[in-house]
Amino acid sequence: MLLDSEDYGAGVAMWPERFIEDPLVRMAAALVAPSSTRVAVAPPSTAAVIDRCSQLAQGTPDGEAAIAGRGGVPIHVVLSSESSLWAPIESRWIAEFPDETNAALGTVSDEEYAALAAAVDELWSRAPVLARAVLLHVHAIAVFDSPRTVGSCTAFSLPGVVLINRVVLRDPLKLADLLYHEAVHCKYYDIMTVAALLKEGASRRYVAPPWHADKAAEKDRLWVVERALGAFHVYVHYAALDSMTDLGSERWRGSARERAQALAELLATETAFFTREGSEFLAWGLAVLGLEPGHEATGESAKGLRQTAAADGRPTAVRSARDVRLYGLEPLGYFLVRRDRSAALQRLDAASWAMLTRIRWEEQHEPGAAVAVPAGHARAIRALTNAGYLEAV
């Protein structure tokens, strides 16, 4: 569930949404989703779930501390084994990553909690639209100690949980980048939980990303379609982050957009194995990049609509309505928008959502300025203006 920060007051502890967002409750609920059978893990007991809800009703559970963030929904940091999340996170983590048997969850000091809270705040400060789109899929953070170099990880069977290597806590910018990266994965897991993106047989279909052509192992040179689709989702989000801030991973800076385009072209050859939802998902990513399905990579700038307006006819000058709020792909798989606080949440189609999101990104670069939208998007702009989400200038 997605809530405005103003709506998430002190009395919300008794609201059922608080429970639905909780990782332990979601671990149990996820078992009813067909795709959850991919990992053989034991469900939390009914007693454990009821006890967890009782703890949440009384405030922040023992062994945890909440990061309020700016999105309204708190992220719980697992501080010690007193947390009722500790045991289920640890057991499922080992089931998902058997090669991490030398790693273990660790306690979190006050200074380390402060570092995590600062990283969350960094994301909200630098890229608020993107932070809202991904951090609302993160409900808990746990810290682990590992001799391996992995800095962070997530798992499908740990909905809404991000695991961070303790060594990363010393580097604020890297920590913020890894939190963003894992939050994107959590968002993808939420989508996969409620929507079948691929048809049967897709698990035997492979694509070859060009930047892995020199890899020795075949599993690295050839990606199963599901892996490629997940990577496409990550690169789309990093292309968006790259267009707004220098926070993103240096190894992908400047290349995320090109990689997303390359994967889209490869995936377009496998659309026979996509469901309707999967095709819409791919189209949504292309729309965020400012492309259409089947579009050839042109090296078009990721900086936004303003730089492409001249090549696409006479632009229309618009700005978003003052109180419009965007809510990303929330766990039910919808693109949601609210005209103002008093209005009901409405569902948008992928193209309209991408257009409105890109306009908001442009406005963040130049607050108060109108955004020039290419003439080819006139129909979408007219529909968004009629609905009250945009204002003509």
Side-chain angles (χ1 to χ4, degrees):
M1 297 293 179
L2 299 176
L3 305 170
D4 289 337
S5 57
E6 296 92 341
D7 296 335
Y8 203 92
V12 80
M14 296 302 294
W15 290 7
E17 285 85 351
R18 175 91 178 256
F19 306 152
I20 294 169
E21 291 158 0
D22 187 74
L24 189 66
V25 179
R26 294 185 64 198
M27 287 178 197
L31 293 174
V32 304
S35 55
S36 66
T37 57
R38 69 179 60 214
V39 179
V41 291
S45 68
T46 302
V49 174
I50 292 175
D51 183 58
R52 178 71 183 176
C53 289
S54 176
Q55 294 176 35
L56 289 169
Q58 298 175 51
T60 303
D62 292 341
E64 299 172 25
I67 299 175
R70 303 183 195 179
V73 181
I75 299 173
H76 285 204
V77 177
V78 178
L79 301 177
S80 71
S81 58
E82 293 182 9
S83 166
S84 55
L85 293 179
W86 182 287
I89 288 176
E90 190 170 52
S91 62
R92 291 188 175 212
W93 180 32
I94 292 173
E96 287 265 19
F97 301 100
D99 58 338
E100 286 287 354
T101 51
N102 292 326
L105 293 189
T107 57
V108 176
S109 68
D110 291 345
E111 293 77 11
E112 290 167 334
Y113 163 79
L116 289 166
V120 171
D121 189 64
E122 189 78 20
L123 284 175
W124 278 105
S125 297
R126 294 202 184 202
V129 173
L130 291 174
R132 173 176 285 278
V134 300
L135 287 180
L136 293 182
H137 295 267
V138 177
H139 306 301
I141 299 174
V143 172
F144 66 92
D145 297 284
S146 172
R148 293 166 58 84
T149 57
V150 62
S152 60
C153 57
T154 51
F156 183 84
S157 66
L158 290 170
V161 178
V162 170
L163 293 152
I164 297 288
N165 194 325
R166 189 183 307 277
V167 298
V168 179
L169 300 179
R170 308 189 197 106
D171 187 335
L173 290 182
K174 184 174 182 180
L175 177 56
D177 173 51
L178 288 177
L179 280 175
Y180 180 76
H181 182 100
E182 301 301 347
V184 172
H185 284 310
C186 287
K187 178 179 175 179
Y188 186 59
Y189 297 152
D190 280 346
I191 296 167
M192 291 169 62
T193 298
V194 298
L197 303 180
L198 299 170
K199 297 177 182 177
E200 187 176 353
S203 61
R204 298 185 295 275
R205 305 294 299 181
Y206 294 85
V207 297
W211 56 91
H212 273 204
D214 60 347
K215 296 291 184 180
E218 185 176 79
K219 67 179 180 66
D220 293 327
R221 292 195 309 272
L222 298 178
W223 287 4
V224 70
V225 165
E226 182 178 330
R227 178 184 178 185
L229 190 61
F232 169 76
H233 182 248
V234 170
Y235 286 133
V236 166
H237 280 79
Y238 267 97
L241 189 67
D242 197 26
S243 72
M244 297 171 58
T245 174
D246 60 356
L247 186 62
S249 173
E250 289 185 6
R251 64 192 174 112
W252 289 344
R253 191 166 299 151
S255 66
R257 179 181 173 83
E258 287 72 22
R259 290 189 175 190
Q261 287 178 292
L263 284 174
E265 291 170 10
L266 292 171
L267 290 168
T269 67
E270 301 292 336
T271 51
F273 294 91
F274 279 58
T275 64
R276 179 179 60 81
E277 291 85 358
S279 295
E280 289 180 353
F281 180 79
L282 187 60
W284 163 79
L286 289 170
V288 171
L289 295 171
L291 305 175
E292 298 295 335
H295 183 91
E296 295 291 332
T298 62
E300 187 178 41
S301 171
K303 292 299 181 182
L305 294 168
R306 187 176 295 108
Q307 294 169 316
T308 67
D312 194 16
R314 185 175 179 180
T316 301
V318 295
R319 65 167 58 99
S320 63
R322 184 169 60 89
D323 294 324
V324 164
R325 295 164 185 256
L326 303 174
Y327 293 87
L329 258 172
E330 54 98 17
L332 294 181
Y334 297 154
F335 302 96
L336 298 179
V337 63
R338 175 178 279 170
R339 191 169 58 251
D340 53 58
R341 283 198 63 201
S342 62
L345 286 170
Q346 300 293 327
R347 184 178 182 182
L348 287 181
D349 62 89
S352 296
W353 165 264
M355 176 64 67
L356 190 54
T357 302
R358 286 169 62 82
I359 289 170
R360 293 297 293 271
W361 293 343
E362 288 291 326
E363 291 174 331
Q364 288 181 22
H365 284 295
E366 296 185 31
V371 177
V373 180
H377 298 283
R379 180 178 297 179
I381 293 300
R382 186 163 53 250
L384 289 169
T385 302
N386 291 341
Y389 303 131
L390 293 178
E391 299 172 350
V393 178

